Amino acid sequence: MSDKSIKVTDKRMFTPAGELRDEFRFVEEAGGESADPAPASPPEPAAPPPPPSPLEIGGGPPLELPDLGPTLQAPSFFDLVAILAEPVSLYLGDARLPDGRTMENLEMARLHIDLLAVLRDKTAGNLTAQELAFLEDLLYRLRVRYVQKQG
């Protein structure tokens, strides 16, 4: 066996009695830190601040949502699907803009159809039979119309 010794050096700023060690006196003289004893364990890093909610983005005061009142129901899965599918008819050129013009953009139509397919895939096993049938039928109809427009 070889005789190897281990040297342990105490690197803490304060003694067990709570006094500042001589090698750290410069901190007290600079006024950067008080001579209060350090906690026994190292301080935990501060948790990052939570991300701002969409209502707080923009630097101003948070937006206040209007009171929906008792007459409006909570949005449903069908409402979500309808909102995602609404632009498809515009991009296929089937619906008119308020000024009477049509806007055909098959790539954007395909993007929105693909988004509905992603929604179907990500909600697999979590939809009622009625919700799934509605989404499948809508996807079928939109895809058929897309293929017709593509020629």
Side-chain angles (χ1 to χ4, degrees):
M1 260 190 182
S2 65
D3 262 346
K4 291 186 179 179
S5 63
I6 298 174
K7 179 181 177 186
V8 177
T9 306
D10 190 354
K11 299 277 187 174
R12 293 180 288 188
M13 286 181 65
F14 297 94
T15 65
E19 297 175 10
L20 189 63
R21 294 187 186 274
D22 290 335
E23 58 266 27
F24 293 103
R25 292 281 175 206
F26 69 92
V27 173
E28 187 177 61
E29 293 167 2
E33 206 169 296
S34 67
D36 293 336
S41 64
E44 294 184 24
S53 78
L55 301 178
E56 297 173 348
I57 294 176
L63 296 174
E64 291 186 28
L65 296 176
D67 182 20
L68 299 177
T71 58
L72 293 180
Q73 297 176 354
S76 69
F77 178 77
F78 300 105
D79 297 323
L80 175 64
V81 172
I83 287 173
L84 291 174
E86 189 175 15
V88 177
S89 60
L90 283 172
Y91 291 130
L92 289 175
D94 294 339
R96 295 196 176 277
L97 295 172
D99 62 3
R101 294 181 300 136
T102 60
M103 177 175 64
E104 188 173 305
N105 185 337
L106 295 181
E107 286 303 310
M108 287 301 293
R110 180 175 167 221
L111 171 72
H112 283 272
I113 293 169
D114 289 346
L115 285 174
L116 286 166
V118 168
L119 179 66
R120 183 202 54 210
D121 295 344
K122 293 296 182 179
T123 57
N126 293 318
L127 299 178
T128 65
Q130 186 180 13
E131 291 169 337
L132 182 59
F134 174 74
L135 184 54
E136 289 289 345
D137 182 59
L138 179 65
L139 275 168
Y140 174 77
R141 291 170 186 257
L142 291 175
R143 286 175 174 156
V144 166
R145 185 66 183 129
Y146 175 79
V147 170
Q148 288 173 344
K149 287 298 271 195
Q150 224 178 2

